[in-house]
Amino acid sequence: MSMDGTVPGAPGVVVVGGGIAGQAVCEAVRELDALTPITLVCAEPRLPYDRVRLSEILVSGASCETLALRPAEWFTDHHVGTLVGRRVVEVRAAERLVVLDDGAELPYTALVLATGSDALMPPIPGIDQPHVHPFRGPEDCDAIRDAATTARHAAVIGGGLLGLEAARGIASQGCAVTVVHLMDRLMERQLDAGSAALLERALGMDVLFERQTAEIAPDRLRFAGGDELEADLVVVSIGIRPQAELGRATGCAVERGIVVDDGLRTTVDGVWAVGECAQHRGIVHGLVAPILDQARTAAAAICGDTTAAYEGSIPSAKLKVSDVPLVAIGATDGDGEVVSQDAGRGVYRKLVVHEGRAAGAILLGDVRGAEALLGLVRRGDEVEDPLAVLAASAEAGPAEWSDDTQVCDCNGVCKGQITAAVTEEGARTPREVMAMTRAGTGCGSCKATVVDLVALAAGGEVADEPAYLCPCKRQTREDLAAVVREQGLESVSEVSAACGTGRDCGACKPALAYLVSEVNANRHREERHARFINDRVHANIQKDGTFSVVPRMYGGVTTPEELRRIADVAEQFDVPLVKVTGGQRLDLLGVKKQDLPAVWEALGMPSGHAYAKAVRTVKTCVGEDFCRFGLGDSMGLGVELEKAWEGLHTPHKVKAGVSGCARNCAEATIKDVGLVAVGEGRWQVRVGGAAGGNVREADVLATVDSRAEALRVATTFLQLYRENADFKERTYDFVPRWGLDRIREEVLGEASGAALRERFRLAKAAVTDPWLERREPYHPRQFTDLDDEPAAAREPAVVGPPEEALR
Amino acid sequence: MIPVCSVDDVPAGEGRSIDVEGRRIALFNTPTGWYAIDHACPHAGGPLADGIAADCSVICPLHERRYALDTGAPIGHAGGPVATHRVQVLDGRVCVALGEDAGADDAAPAAAVAA
């Protein structure tokens, strides 16, 4: 094995190609065999994404990450090694070895070529100009989207499915666009003349038919025959070319694509090919459903099933351009057909019959019954009365479908499996059902149907989509909190053992540490391995591995004595930078980890918590004492607020501000919690403000008559946020998510408010200054590496509020 | 094998760094055994010993790049691997053998030996 260390594990299955096919092969092999090492080599600089939904990037500017087929954790959890942004340059089939672009060698027992296809770019003069783009990858989408914002007129060459999606995407950017098509109708492979004409009308786009582009000039297309079309942005989408080069170089037989048998085997021993690069029984499939069928068969064959056979697929396509529902299944023509057409409503429904059997269907404008018709065509059912069959298909809703009606074509999931996930396996939401059955996770066009079926199986409305605390647990914050409460769990390890997969992914450990502490009113068994380094040494890690220290300075108010001490410490420990933070505190930057205990000792000030998910600072203006305009004691209230909240951990950092008048020098209206004096002793309490990547003006929660009431309302809100926000959810996301009305109800309600304040009191009673650990470290090496002197050991203890605080 | 510390020197579930023959390595004490990798994250030099370790991987504290502790392979990102070193526990002492090409980029990955 190569010694560059990039190659995880022993020889196993190596999949070349990070597209839908490559992903599907990894998943199918893993389903059959939990142990075989799998390595996925992705030439694109990202993990596999859903190329079928590519036009979403064009329309909405969505990032490619939103199209990821699986989150990065999936690969970890399923032990699939990934080599991203790397290319296979050579296959040495005799040695069962692939060579990567950097010279690394990767041994395999089975090699799967899932290299996909490239956009077909015909040798038209001028096609290599910068204003001409293929429509194939996220980079193409970004380039087209950018160009569409300034282009005067765009042309899309190709009136197939992808071409139409590209055209709609360009039009959505406000750019005039014309589709140029060689044939006499749109999507001629999937549609007949009648439906194509209706589609053209429904799309409302300019289309030029039977035009062959002879030349692309910088500002126009010139067609064979002489006429021209103005275009300073050109997208070419006339088809795909199987990417068979690697297969050819490997010695596989290649015709249009890499030739494979019914087991998806190429002509080279130990090498399979799946997806758009493969040619099966003379056909290169470019749709998701057949590719996933192929992946499943290939996986079975790789795992030793000699009978696994792929026998071809009935092509079916769903158009994904906005509001034009369209499903095309199988053949467009046969020896018999019935059409139900309502041109006024833009509805066209057709059933094609050949030799007495269902052979194809086209549904435009009204796609009810598509699942049933696809089943009919796929099985090749005998059709005695086509008219009756077509009429009946529109009548049947999901409730009437038989259990073997296929809902998700991409993943071959039937209604019965979805129902069973709800009734037998206890799934409660569409997302859980999708994760369990994979329905709706391909092209996504059946998601709405999946939601309907889940509701049907659950006997009514479905629950809201859950926000999991971590994908490794597949449980929400509320679910986990309930388990912590019911089982009396006191530590992260206990939560991990009791919930989810029984192991930690690591990424969620700090969230669990907060949860177990918050649910137990701060009384919990503290495990530092679950904490981020900042919370293990109570300082903020910097890019060079040193730490910054921010002593607490209530309300931003200090004294000459404190300033002197801070200055002395800075000199004593050679602190390279002293800076005033954005929250009016002094920051000592560049302190070595092993010096932290001594720095605190010398400072003798409490921790500013500038490193933690905790209450950070309360920024204040000078207020009524000195300011000419001050209407309230902002400094005094700020100090009081900070002392009341000091040391409390929160789902995310909390920054507050108190302004003495509407001039708002403390910027209280863009803080998580802001208090603003409005005169006559009255204070405005604002929540959910932000001045980060998004600027959000804080909402006014209440305007109250006294300083004490302002403190009370703000504190009640803080506790509501502490108990209900997701980990790492700032108040500016929490407040709009919950809604101001509901927050007011809870915070200002007499009983609910009192309960929140009582729980706040308990949590606050547990607060200690973490900097006291300088004298009593939780481990002799809390602050030292192995070549530094450790502190003395001490026994671990339960931390939390004193017993009397718990009554 | 070079003895580097006692088994009590690294808190359970955490990592600590040490200089071994001029090379800064990070040593992890995890429920599945001891692991040693290079201390500096290949991405931006982050101190990996300060990361959160779980499930035979460590997450760098600076930019959350994750690496397998046993193979050094990057997990979920496109960066390069981190070099790994062999670990053995003998009579309560943790011992490390640096990768064969210590100092080169392609030090041999070697599985850690569980305690």
Side-chain angles (χ1 to χ4, degrees), chain A residues 38-61:
Chain A
I38 304 175
T39 305
L40 178 66
V41 186
C42 312
E44 286 188 60
R46 59 183 68 82
L47 290 167
Y49 64 93
D50 193 352
R51 191 187 296 279
V52 177
R53 290 164 57 209
L54 204 57
S55 59
E56 290 176 24
I57 297 183
L58 194 49
V59 172
S60 69

Side-chain angles (χ1 to χ4, degrees), chain A residues 399 415 418-424 426-430 433 450-463:
Chain A
K415 175 188 169 184
I418 293 170
T419 308
V422 176
T423 57
E424 287 165 32
R428 281 167 300 169
T429 67
V433 171
V450 174
V451 172
D452 288 348
L453 285 172
V454 171
L456 206 61
E461 289 297 301
V462 295

Side-chain angles (χ1 to χ4, degrees), chain A residues 475 478-489 494-495 498-499:
Chain A
Q475 282 176 300
E478 287 76 16
D479 293 338
L480 289 162
V483 176
V484 171
R485 266 185 219 106
E486 282 156 20
Q487 303 187 18
L489 306 181
E494 288 171 39
V495 179
C499 304

Side-chain angles (χ1 to χ4, degrees), chain A residues 667-681:
Chain A
E667 294 157 347
T669 52
I670 46 164
K671 296 293 185 197
D672 292 293
V673 178
L675 305 178
V676 182
V678 291
E680 295 163 0

Side-chain angles (χ1 to χ4, degrees), chain A residues 682-736:
Chain A
R682 290 161 59 80
W683 293 87
Q684 213 176 44
V685 181
R686 287 173 165 262
V687 296
N694 292 311
V695 177
R696 182 179 193 274
E697 186 184 356
D699 298 310
V700 178
L701 178 60
T703 303
V704 297
D705 290 332
S706 71
R707 162 180 172 146
E709 184 63 12
L711 194 61
R712 212 162 73 110
V713 170
T715 298
T716 315
F717 168 78
L718 182 77
Q719 184 64 14
L720 182 80
Y721 167 67
R722 292 187 69 239
E723 292 179 12
N724 293 291
D726 289 326
F727 193 66
K728 287 194 184 176
E729 182 181 33
R730 288 291 296 267
T731 62
Y732 50 74
D733 290 322
F734 170 73
V735 168

Side-chain angles (χ1 to χ4, degrees), chain A residues 278-291:
Chain A
Q279 173 184 324
H280 173 262
R281 298 190 185 179
I283 297 172
V284 174
H285 286 283
L287 296 167
V288 173
I291 289 172

Side-chain angles (χ1 to χ4, degrees), chain B residues 3 5 7 19-20 22 24 27 29 41 46 48 52 68 72-73 86 95 99 104:
Chain B
C5 67
V7 288
D19 201 89
V20 178
R24 194 93 204 147
L27 201 60
N29 175 8
C41 177
L48 289 176
I52 289 180
R86 265 200 352 269
C95 306

